DNA sequence: ACCTGAACACCGTTCAAGT
DNA sequence: ACCTGAACACCGTTCAAGT
């Protein structure tokens, strides 16, 4: 359960074990084989050690996978240097960078949980908060709004990206959508009036665009409420 | 992998196995022991059968847990008869009913995935869509908006509700939040300028309210865009 | 302080056999 | 058609022993 923080004190041999090395190797295995495929035995072999050695640096498999997911989340910041001017476009860019990072490592999406405790999940909320703070919003709303946005980013990404047939990469995402659309068509219109009417939309519906559309809705909401709010209680009228 | 649809043909003994009975028992075990605690051996003993019998009705543990989660999602509709008039308040009520249902069965939240394929997940999207259709929104936007809202509902719920220490129910949610707040206080303000400034908000932050606040933001966004949209491209200005 | 690897206590899943 | 239960092929995790 101990962690090796920072570099090893002395030179040590090149392949010296550390939490970072282990997590990095775990990410590769996770990418290749999925969560089920990642095994302490396999990981140990990959790193030329025994399984026991891994437990010196990581408390258990849950922690290992969480750390791996947080490392993946970190990729988003590399891609997105954060120096946008405009708050709205900065938030959009950040959100999309996170979506894309998770999309490249589908197993990771469901392991980012809230409120954040690991380094990069914290960083995400912090950046979102910093951008929100540049807005015209009153300071008391910053936290709530920042949280809502960052939960949307990770939560909806996870929904969309979550590995389908838990292990079976033979079915492409498009096949999956097409098959789902076909199933929707067979539903009873009495039970599912909306879906049976709308199944066409699922076919030419791109996940990533859907993610962005929802995000824009959220940001529009922000925009709308940035102006002084109506008396609480009679929120939405339509 | 075969399923028993509907009731058994003849009377049969009271405890006759069926997919529904199995899934129901799985929900109880899941509630008590969490996902790790649910075991085919244990479930079989609970139902007075052998493990092999279970596999006649359910293809594997993944399917079993997915079905159990969908059953939990179904609770939300029982609590929410759907006959609201106003689209906005109907959506709010539906969303909160889903959140509360998942909150009572935390293991379920992360197993509702998108796009929906199981009965109650489909029902959720359908109801959301039906409510959205009552709005002033142009018909081409119904699908996208309905999807955004229902992904928000299940995705953000999952984020917030996801079982913390995967198995350890000894730590209450409040303890967890308090502990997290304390950890945020110790962060380096240089790395996390927003969070270290705002840690107080986490302490008195109620998950459920947070969920609703984000939802309202989304609905406000809807409201704002229900009016004719500005020329595409210059969406948010602030 | 860190690594080794055998051993323990499980699990999901399959399958030949029954009714 | 549906159920039984032993058996297979794993796993995560621990721990006494080493360096």
């Amino acid at each position: 359960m101990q962690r090796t923080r920072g570099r090893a004190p002395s030179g040590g041999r090149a392949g010296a074990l550390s939490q970072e090395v282990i997590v990095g190797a775990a990410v590769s295995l996770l990418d290749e084989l999925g969560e089920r495929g990642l095994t302490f035995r396999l990981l140990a072999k990959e790193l030329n050690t025994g399984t026991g050695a891994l437990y010196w640096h990581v408390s258990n498999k849950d922690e290992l996978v969480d750390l791996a997911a947080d490392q993946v989340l970190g990729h988003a910041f590399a891609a997105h240097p954060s120096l946008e001017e405009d708050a709205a476009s900065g938030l959009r860019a950040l959100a999309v960078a996170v979506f894309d990072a998770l999309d490249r490592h589908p197993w990771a999406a469901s392991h980012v949980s809230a409120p954040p405790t690991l380094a990069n999940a914290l960083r995400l909320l912090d950046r979102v908060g910093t951008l929100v703070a540049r807005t015209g919003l009153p300071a008391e709303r910053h936290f709530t709004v920042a949280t809502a946005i960052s939960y949307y980013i990770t939560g909806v990404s996870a929904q969309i990206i979550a590995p389908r047939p838990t292990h079976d990469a033979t079915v492409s995402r498009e096949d999956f959508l097409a098959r789902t659309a076909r199933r929707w068509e067979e539903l009873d219109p009495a039970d599912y009036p909306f879906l049976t009417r709308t199944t066409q939309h699922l076919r030419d519906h791109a996940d990533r665009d859907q993610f962005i559309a929802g995000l824009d809705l959220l940001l529009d909401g922000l925009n709308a409420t940035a102006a002084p709010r109506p008396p609480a209680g009679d929120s939405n009228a339509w």
Side-chain angles (χ1 to χ4, degrees), chain A residues 77-152:
Chain A
F77 303 114
H80 170 72
S82 97
L83 305 166
E84 305 282 340
E85 343 250 73
D86 175 17
S89 60
L91 284 171
R92 254 183 79 116
L94 181 56
V96 172
V98 169
F99 180 91
D100 288 339
L102 292 176
D103 199 33
R104 276 189 286 272
H105 308 271
W107 52 269
S110 64
H111 288 277
V112 186
S113 73
T117 52
L118 299 185
N120 288 314
L122 286 166
R123 209 181 308 280
L124 173 62
L125 177 55
D126 198 81
R127 292 214 184 171
V128 169
T130 301
L131 288 164
V132 167
R134 289 201 201 143
T135 290
L137 286 185
E140 334 83 70
R141 299 200 66 214
H142 288 178
F143 182 74
T144 300
V145 169
T147 305
I149 293 176
S150 87
Y151 285 12
Y152 176 91

Side-chain angles (χ1 to χ4, degrees), chain A residues 156-219:
Chain A
V156 176
S157 292
Q159 286 275 298
I160 295 179
I161 292 167
R164 292 301 121 200
T166 309
H167 203 196
D168 184 9
T170 65
V171 185
S172 81
R173 178 86 191 159
E174 285 126 72
D175 285 351
F176 173 75
L177 283 181
R179 206 172 308 179
T180 304
R182 221 167 304 129
R183 212 171 323 165
W184 286 12
E185 279 164 16
E186 292 158 10
L187 293 173
D188 183 346
D191 288 337
Y192 303 97
F194 180 77
L195 290 183
T196 45
R197 223 189 305 138
T198 203
T199 160
Q200 182 48 43
H201 289 277
L202 183 66
R203 284 183 193 283
D204 40 59
H205 141 293
D207 293 326
R208 197 166 176 279
D209 295 341
Q210 181 59 56
F211 171 78
I212 294 174
L215 181 70
D216 282 338
L217 224 45
L218 249 185
L219 296 180

